[in-house]
Amino acid sequence: MITSDLSIAVNALNQGELVAIPTETVYGLAGSAFNEQAIQKIFQLKNRPTCNPLILHTHCISEVSKFVKEIPPNAMKLAEAFWPGPLTLLLPKKSNIPNSVTSGSHLVAVRIPNHAVTLSLLQQLDFPLVAPSANPYTRISPTNAKMVDDYFGEALPVILEGDICAKGIESTIVGFHDNIPVIYRQGAISVDAIEFIAGKSKVQATIKEKVTTPGMSPMHYAPMTKFCIVDSVLDFIYENRDLKIGALTLGKLEINQPNTSVIHLSINGDIEEASANLYKSMYDLDGMNLDCIIIEKFPEIGIGKSLNDRIQRASFK
Ligand code: TXA
Ligand code: MG
């Protein structure tokens, strides 16, 4: 059921049920961090390996300190700059956080989401929520309630309706080695913005390097349709006129080709708008029975780097 009634969500979570929650990045599949059965239900419903830990969501920094042993100075600077917002910090966990949440790691991933509905939900609960993205393992993360409903149907009784996920890609995950920020997942906050606040960082996880955080398998965020990064969308369409093609473009592109469906991620070429529209557009094209979906790389600046990380994973074979 898709509902905007917070009390239904509060009751379900208090009873150990799962609820899909809107955030500014993507929808999360949430359950109580202190209820072992709810934690296990999350892994089962997503079909996610239990070695892939979950992010803890709460509503203010003073709550975070109930769950972590320490917050290094640079972590605190980032928290003050970006929370509530699309920043996840890896911090040493206190013993009240179950090992099943962190898959046995001594670090817990924590974030304060910037979404009015979910902040208000978190304030009404006596426990933090663990919430991975609300998609079956390796599929495209959902950025609206309907996508979540399509994925899980009646297996997920409560989906909390919220405004559109304004950022549209997952949070940036930052850990710390001796107070130096280490980027474990590029995301909705650019590496440049992190470095502006906390100084030079190391970027750990890229598709070419070894997988450094359990969830960063190269194949991720993938449509069922073949997904290709091309040098030129126009040339590809011209050279493959016999194929049914879905094209995602940054900026407006006039294409009069009967076999081709084009989605403009942002008519004005705005990268933030493109980010907000990317997953939904991939998902919509995926439902059109096409031979392939194509996209050009984004400019390698700001969150363009994060978007390129996602489309590389989506095109991984
Ligand atoms: O924007 C987001 O972060 C969304 C919304 C719902 O908050 N959540 C999300 O969760 O993207 P998920 O589970 O799809 O991705 C979490 C990533 C995974 O790659 C996981 O391996 C990593 O965070 N992670 C979680 N806890 C960790 C830990 N203790 N150590 C290392 N990596 C961790
Ligand atoms: Mg995910």
Side-chain angles (χ1 to χ4, degrees):
M1 177 207 344
I2 300 178
T3 177
S4 49
D5 187 339
L6 266 187
S7 66
I8 294 179
V10 170
N11 285 340
L13 290 162
N14 278 331
Q15 284 165 26
E17 295 299 328
L18 305 188
V19 171
I21 55 168
T23 84
E24 80 283 31
T25 60
V26 300
Y27 261 77
L29 181 63
S32 164
F34 293 158
N35 183 316
E36 193 56 44
Q37 281 174 352
I39 295 166
Q40 293 313 319
K41 269 190 219 165
I42 291 176
F43 285 107
Q44 280 157 16
L45 191 57
K46 267 186 75 90
N47 198 18
R48 172 174 170 129
T50 51
C51 63
N52 191 350
L54 306 175
I55 297 178
L56 191 80
H57 294 66
T58 187
H59 58 88
C60 67
I61 296 187
S62 58
E63 282 292 304
V64 171
S65 49
K66 293 182 186 167
F67 314 124
V68 305
K69 283 188 188 149
E70 58 152 327
I71 305 182
N74 266 335
M76 189 51 100
K77 277 195 200 168
L78 290 171
E80 282 168 352
F82 296 115
W83 276 349
L87 170 74
T88 294
L89 297 177
L90 287 176
L91 299 170
K93 80 177 192 74
K94 281 188 176 161
S95 59
N96 57 355
I97 299 301
N99 288 328
S100 51
V101 167
T102 65
S103 306
S105 168
H106 71 288
L107 298 175
V108 61
V110 192
R111 107 174 177 92
I112 302 179
N114 188 14
H115 193 291
V117 171
T118 290
L119 282 174
S120 153
L121 173 70
L122 286 160
Q123 278 156 9
Q124 292 181 42
L125 297 169
D126 295 332
F127 43 81
L129 293 174
V130 276
S133 51
N135 50 291
Y137 189 56
T138 78
R139 301 287 301 280
I140 304 168
S141 300
T143 49
N144 63 40
K146 161 94 174 36
M147 277 172 83
V148 183
D149 199 32
D150 287 353
Y151 279 144
F152 297 112
E154 286 176 7
L156 179 61
V158 185
I159 300 171
L160 200 49
E161 175 96 75
D163 292 340
I164 185 192
C165 300
K167 297 291 178 188
I169 61 164
E170 295 84 351
S171 60
T172 303
I173 303 182
V174 186
F176 300 88
H177 290 178
D178 295 331
N179 197 36
I180 296 169
V182 180
I183 314 289
Y184 282 84
R185 177 176 72 182
Q186 300 193 50
I189 297 174
S190 70
V191 174
D192 300 338
I194 300 286
E195 292 188 341
F196 183 73
I197 302 293
K200 197 88 194 113
S201 69
K202 271 178 66 185
V203 178
Q204 277 277 19
T206 77
I207 194 161
K208 293 188 192 70
E209 293 167 14
K210 68 182 169 57
V211 174
T212 48
T213 167
M216 297 309 281
S217 70
M219 195 214 138
H220 218 117
Y221 315 100
M224 307 301 264
T225 313
K226 187 170 175 206
F227 187 86
C228 303
I229 301 174
V230 296
D231 291 335
S232 159
V233 161
L234 275 179
D235 289 352
F236 186 93
I237 292 169
Y238 183 71
E239 286 157 17
N240 297 279
R241 273 164 288 181
D242 51 328
L243 293 183
K244 280 189 284 166
I245 298 172
L248 295 166
T249 68
L250 175 65
K252 196 159 166 48
L253 203 61
E254 294 291 352
I255 301 169
N256 287 322
Q257 194 60 43
N259 272 348
T260 302
S261 306
V262 182
I263 296 184
H264 302 109
L265 295 172
S266 163
I267 300 260
N268 303 321
D270 179 309
I271 199 113
E272 304 276 339
E273 188 182 10
S275 173
N277 290 327
L278 179 65
Y279 287 162
K280 159 100 172 44
S281 306
M282 283 165 73
Y283 182 82
D284 287 347
L285 290 178
D286 203 19
M288 291 173 65
N289 199 19
L290 301 165
D291 294 315
C292 62
I293 302 172
I294 60 171
I295 190 166
E296 289 172 19
K297 269 183 84 174
F298 292 92
E300 272 281 312
I301 43 165
I303 61 160
K305 291 182 193 162
S306 310
L307 298 177
N308 285 334
D309 169 87
R310 298 302 190 274
I311 62 173
Q312 275 175 307
R313 286 174 205 281
S315 64
F316 189 83
K317 283 157 212 96

